[in-house]
Amino acid sequence: MTHDTSSSMIKMIMKTSINKFKIFIIVDFIVIASTILFNQFDWLVNTQVAFFSSLAITLGSFYGYKKNIENRVKDYPIEYEEIDEDDKYDLYSDEVYNKEIKEDSITKEQIKEAMKPIKQNYFKNFTSGIGAMTSFYRLFGYIFLIIGFFYLRNNELLHIYSYLLGFLILPISTLLYMLIHKDN
């Protein structure tokens, strides 16, 4: 994957993220308006602490994994040829079109070999993603979550149902985004 391809993919992901962020803000505004309308200060504080800590964790994870992917792309530059929009899977090229598969040529051993699971090095996969898992932004989100929880509990403001509702703002917003943009 070339640098231009990866940067265009990152721009597309950023555009999608901005659209999701707008929906997060709208849903959060609805929650804020509801708590103010019903005069529930405890609910307002709990939902906002939970929402912003979960948002910090989510954004931290995004930036950590984004950085991890960018580093991997730099390490393995691969050139791709242009993809024909009418023939995305190269089904009608001369090489594929003229090649015939004979059923008799496939043996049971070849089928068994093809059905074997792919061996993976789980330790290598884990260590390659450790930078994204321990990014500063993500750790900041978890620290904010812990400090916010203990602040609410120590000041007797913690209301567990509203706190959980604050965590649900992100999944509900994502669900709404997927419903709105399901055709894309």
Side-chain angles (χ1 to χ4, degrees), residues 127-177:
T127 56
S128 67
I130 202 101
M133 290 188 297
T134 59
S135 71
F136 170 75
Y137 301 110
R138 189 173 185 178
L139 292 175
F140 171 75
Y142 283 115
I143 290 169
F144 183 69
L145 170 74
I146 293 167
I147 290 172
F149 179 83
F150 282 115
Y151 174 80
L152 292 172
R153 196 189 98 214
N154 291 340
N155 291 314
E156 297 179 5
L157 293 172
L158 182 65
H159 186 264
I160 200 69
Y161 295 118
S162 59
Y163 196 73
L164 291 175
L165 176 67
F167 282 117
L168 289 175
I169 292 173
L170 284 175
I172 290 169
S173 302
T174 303
L175 179 65
L176 286 173
Y177 176 82

Side-chain angles (χ1 to χ4, degrees), residues 3 9 15-16 18 30 35 46 54-55 66 70 73 80 82 84 92 95-96 103 107 110 118 121 138-139 147 175 182:
H3 182 67
M9 289 175 63
K15 182 180 175 186
T16 304
I18 290 170
I30 291 169
T35 57
N46 279 277
S54 65
L55 184 63
K66 176 184 168 226
E70 286 174 346
V73 168
Y80 288 102
E82 284 291 320
D84 183 12
Y92 300 107
E95 298 159 5
V96 175
E103 292 182 23
T107 63
Q110 289 173 327
I118 299 172
N121 187 345
R138 189 173 185 178
L139 292 175
I147 290 172
L175 179 65
K182 69 179 177 180

Side-chain angles (χ1 to χ4, degrees), residues 1-9 73 76-80:
M1 187 180 288
T2 62
H3 182 67
D4 295 335
T5 308
S6 64
S7 64
S8 65
M9 289 175 63
V73 168
Y76 301 103
I78 300 171
E79 297 290 330
Y80 288 102

